[in-house]
């Protein structure tokens, strides 16, 4: 079994997808332009500071020109991809840095705004983009320490020691590093979790639709009963009107027998939901549930062995009259999808055999899936269950035989989202999943449920 699980194509999640609307960045930039213009006018005319207004307003004008150009060339409601948004924020950062260099550098009280683009990136863009913007911010802050036009304070009214400027530079640099590394990591983790939960919901919805087929079959049985009855009556009347030696009599008798057969099948379908509370497949033995989940993924060249046994103590089991009976469980879409995913990966990377062991006692129901493949990559074994776990192609190729490498490559890109979905869905049913490598080789996945959480009252089958 591989440590990498496939990201379903219909999920449609990709880190390069649009993360911010153009309208949002344009609006933020217009707000910055208004604020910069107001600050320049107040400082020059209100406070009497002699600033290079022409050069400063030209820098502000570049932001306005960029806004107009972006809105004119594409819809404001469009989503910017990660690279596009990074370039836009990099421009804003450079524009602020140049404006600060014309108005006092780090002695300008608004120098803290140079971290604005890094903060925005940490909340919406990838960690790599945020780190790049953080490095750019550090370069810009360093440049503003040495290359700037001093603010024309009144003579002798204000003085900043160089030690204070260096301390302010250090504070801005460490803040940029903090935003680029720590905050972006938290944001990326929260984003990955959200994407994985969406994928979990989609997978569960798909399994629920499949489970609903049983109810549709029962409904079809009730609806088709009346037309088949009418066909049976007409066929019997035709048989009575035909002479004994008519050439069509065998055909009519065959038609009657087939109608009776169909009616018998539909009567059985219609009877089961009445016994089971509306769904003929709602309550089944736990081994049947496991077999139903694994059956779609079995291969002729891989032997799949399912063993079921009871470790209940006499007199303490939940059903004293039938101590060896399989626990009756609900046909759960969560369990079907999760066990199917684990079985699919076990069969995919097994060499010859997959052993599936089902054991129950008075307290727990446990299921173990063991394949004879290359096992989990030790480098990621401890991280299994994290959403969007990075694929370890080289590590897998180093461990897997050539035939398994080719099988893996045929299946396309893999991610750790699948195992996260399975773990999350099973936790909703009370199951606890553990992953390990067997001493004799191969991967082992063990799921343990509290029996009172999974088992339902015995239903007639």
């Amino acid at each position: 079994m591989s440590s990498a699980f496939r990201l379903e194509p219909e999920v449609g999640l990709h880190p390069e997808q649009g993360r911010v609307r153009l309208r949002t960045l344009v609006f933020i930039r217009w707000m910055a332009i208004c604020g910069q213009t107001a600050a320049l006018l107040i400082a020059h005319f209100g406070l009497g500071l002699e600033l290079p207004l022409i050069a400063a307003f030209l820098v502000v004008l570049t932001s306005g020109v960029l806004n107009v150009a972006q809105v004119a060339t594409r819809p404001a409601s469009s989503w910017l991809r990660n690279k596009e948004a990074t370039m836009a924020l990099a421009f804003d950062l450079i524009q602020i840095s140049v404006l600060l260099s014309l108005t006092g550098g780090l002695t300008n009280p608004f120098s803290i705004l140079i971290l604005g683009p890094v903060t925005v990136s940490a909340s919406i863009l990838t960690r790599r983009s945020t780190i790049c913007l953080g490095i750019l911010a550090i370069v810009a802050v360093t440049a503003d320490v040495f290359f700037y036009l001093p603010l024309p304070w009144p003579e002798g009214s204000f003085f900043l020691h160089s030690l204070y400027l260096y301390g302010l530079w250090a504070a801005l640099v460490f803040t940029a590093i903090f935003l680029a590394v720590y905050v972006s990591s938290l944001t990326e983790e929260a984003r990955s979790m959200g994407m994985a939960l969406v994928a979990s919901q989609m997978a569960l919805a798909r399994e629920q639709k499949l489970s609903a087929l049983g109810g549709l079959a029962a409904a079809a049985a009730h609806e088709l009963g009346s037309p088949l009855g009418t066909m049976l009556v007409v066929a019997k009347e035709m048989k009575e009107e035909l002479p004994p030696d008519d050439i069509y009599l065998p055909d009519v008798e065959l038609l009657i027998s087939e109608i009776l057969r169909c009616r018998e099948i539909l009567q059985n379908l219609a009877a089961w939901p009445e016994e089971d509370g509306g769904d003929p497949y709602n309550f089944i033995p736990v081994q049947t549930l496991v077999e139903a989940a694994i059956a779609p993924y079995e291969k002729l060249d891989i032997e799949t062995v399912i063993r079921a046994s009871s470790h209940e103590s006499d007199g303490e089991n939940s059903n004293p009259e039938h101590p060896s009976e399989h626990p009756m469980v609900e046909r759960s879409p969560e369990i079907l999808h999760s066990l199917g995913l684990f079985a699919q990966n076990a069969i995919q990377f097994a060499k010859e055999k997959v052993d599936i062991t089902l054991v129950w006692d008075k307290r727990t129901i446990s299921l173990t899936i063991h394949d004879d493949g290359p096992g989990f990559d030790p480098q990621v074994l401890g991280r299994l269950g994290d959403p969007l776990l990075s694929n370890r192609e080289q590590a897998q190729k180093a461990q897997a035989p050539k035939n398994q490498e080719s099988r893996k490559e045929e299946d396309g890109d893999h991610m750790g989202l699948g195992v996260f979905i399975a773990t999350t869905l099973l936790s909703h049913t009370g199951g606890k999943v553990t992953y390990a490598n067997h001493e004799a080789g191969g991967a082992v996945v063990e799921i343990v449920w509290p029996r009172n959480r999974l088992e339902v009252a015995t239903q007639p089958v």
Side-chain angles (χ1 to χ4, degrees), residues 65-108:
V65 172
L66 178 61
N67 262 3
V68 173
Q70 286 186 323
V71 173
T73 56
R74 61 190 304 177
S77 60
S78 61
W79 290 86
L80 294 178
R81 292 187 174 273
N82 186 79
K83 184 177 180 180
E84 297 171 331
T86 303
M87 297 299 294
L89 291 176
F91 170 84
D92 293 335
L93 195 153
I94 295 174
Q95 188 261 359
I96 295 173
S97 176
V98 174
L99 190 59
L100 287 175
S101 68
L102 295 174
T103 57
L106 296 189
T107 63
N108 190 319

Side-chain angles (χ1 to χ4, degrees), residues 334-447:
E334 293 92 337
I335 297 178
L336 285 172
H337 177 83
S338 302
L339 297 187
L341 186 142
F342 289 138
Q344 179 186 19
N345 282 272
I347 294 172
Q348 177 183 354
F349 293 100
K351 297 177 181 178
E352 297 179 352
K353 185 178 181 181
V354 175
D355 288 313
I356 301 174
T357 305
L358 176 66
V359 179
W360 63 90
D361 55 29
K362 64 178 182 179
R363 295 186 181 90
T364 62
I365 298 176
S366 63
L367 179 71
T368 303
I369 302 176
H370 173 215
D371 63 73
D372 59 354
F376 292 117
D377 180 359
Q379 297 181 3
V380 298
L381 181 58
R383 297 176 55 200
L384 286 176
D386 293 345
L388 302 183
L389 182 65
S390 298
N391 187 24
R392 298 293 189 268
E393 290 284 348
Q394 298 300 326
Q396 288 295 329
K397 290 181 179 181
Q399 293 187 21
K402 292 184 178 180
N403 63 331
Q404 292 195 356
E405 289 180 20
S406 61
R407 287 167 56 187
K408 178 170 179 283
E409 292 169 357
E410 292 172 359
D411 289 326
D413 295 331
H414 288 65
M415 299 184 75
L417 183 59
V419 68
F420 170 81
I421 293 175
T423 304
T424 302
L425 294 180
L426 288 175
S427 67
H428 292 166
T429 66
K432 181 179 180 182
V433 187
T434 56
Y435 308 93
N437 286 321
H438 199 274
E439 295 179 356
V444 177
V445 176
E446 183 180 18
I447 308 104

Side-chain angles (χ1 to χ4, degrees), residues 232-246:
L232 181 61
V233 172
V234 173
K236 288 183 176 180
E237 291 179 352
M238 292 175 59
K239 178 182 178 181
E240 293 177 355
E241 293 179 0
L242 292 176
D245 57 347
D246 193 282

Side-chain angles (χ1 to χ4, degrees), residues 12-20 79-86 125-126 128-129 188 191 195:
L13 302 176
H14 194 276
E16 289 298 321
Q17 284 185 334
R19 299 192 177 197
V20 60
W79 290 86
L80 294 178
R81 292 187 174 273
N82 186 79
K83 184 177 180 180
E84 297 171 331
T86 303
L125 301 184
T126 62
R128 177 181 298 178
S129 296
E188 191 73 19
R191 186 184 298 118
M195 295 168 64

